[in-house]
Amino acid sequence: LDIIRMYIRKCGKKDVKSVKKIALMAFAANKKIQKKILGNSIFKTFYPDWQKKKEKTIEYLCKSRDCRIYVAEKDNKILGFASFRLSKDKPLTAEILTNGVSPKYQKQGIGSALYKKLISELKILGIKYVHVNTDNEIAEKAYEKVGFSKKIQTTNYFMKI
């Protein structure tokens, strides 16, 4: 993939369907791992209809005034997306939200390019601090690649009672 020819721009209404499709594909592998770790019963209890929830999240992000989604495009094809939300209660802060790259184009620098774009836009908006939560090792590497370094590890425990 020739990253130089890739174009990163704000997500438009016409992109929503492609962004949803990429989100589902990108998150499927991670959800499969979670299901294997948790077992079917616990997974279904805590993550029922995760696909529908992810699609609704994308729709919300596209409509929200405090959120932005950017897409990476090449040859009129959406390769990936990344989003952020400006904090309402913590001035000068923002959070990187859901993002993903089509599995076919992962590990080619697209995620990092999208994060760099988000950070650039946040700086223009006067944001001084940004954070992100993830449970995805591939995403962790991309975040570190663009400069995220302060890490607080969280662990989620599950138990059937």
Side-chain angles (χ1 to χ4, degrees):
L1 178 69
D2 184 359
I3 300 257
I4 296 168
R5 292 192 188 164
M6 181 180 64
Y7 179 61
I8 298 177
R9 60 173 175 75
K10 283 186 182 177
C11 181
K13 287 181 182 179
K14 67 179 175 52
D15 303 317
V16 174
K17 187 176 178 183
S18 294
V19 169
K20 285 181 183 180
K21 184 177 176 183
I22 290 169
L24 294 179
M25 287 190 300
F27 279 80
N30 205 41
K31 291 298 179 192
K32 188 175 181 180
I33 292 167
Q34 290 173 345
K35 187 175 184 178
K36 187 176 181 180
I37 292 168
L38 295 175
N40 201 39
S41 176
I42 292 176
F43 181 83
K44 283 186 173 182
T45 301
F46 285 92
Y47 302 104
D49 302 325
W50 70 265
Q51 295 98 333
K52 286 181 186 171
K53 185 177 178 188
K54 187 59 67 181
E55 288 181 330
K56 288 193 182 301
T57 298
I58 300 298
E59 289 170 12
Y60 169 79
L61 293 172
C62 290
K63 294 175 185 172
S64 172
R65 301 179 95 194
D66 298 323
C67 302
R68 309 265 191 302
I69 298 182
Y70 286 83
V71 295
E73 178 183 53
K74 183 178 181 192
D75 299 329
N76 295 315
K77 181 177 176 141
I78 305 298
L79 309 178
F81 71 96
S83 61
F84 68 79
R85 173 179 49 216
L86 302 174
S87 177
K88 292 180 181 177
D89 58 344
K90 296 179 197 105
L92 308 177
T93 68
E95 178 181 9
I96 292 181
L97 301 173
T98 194
N99 55 82
V101 174
S102 177
K104 184 177 175 181
Y105 299 103
Q106 288 178 358
K107 297 184 182 180
Q108 297 181 41
I110 295 168
S112 296
L114 282 160
Y115 304 144
K116 286 177 185 175
K117 176 65 174 176
L118 295 187
I119 292 164
S120 170
E121 292 298 316
L122 289 167
K123 285 179 181 178
I124 290 168
L125 293 169
I127 299 301
K128 301 292 182 205
Y129 303 97
V130 62
H131 83 279
V132 62
N133 292 316
T134 187
D135 58 5
N136 183 312
E137 288 181 27
I138 294 171
E140 281 182 26
K141 288 181 177 98
Y143 294 130
E144 290 168 5
K145 197 169 159 184
V146 298
F148 283 88
S149 61
K150 305 293 183 198
K151 186 175 180 179
I152 298 174
Q153 192 71 35
T154 61
T155 304
N156 293 308
Y157 288 94
F158 299 85
M159 180 174 87
K160 185 174 181 178
I161 55 173

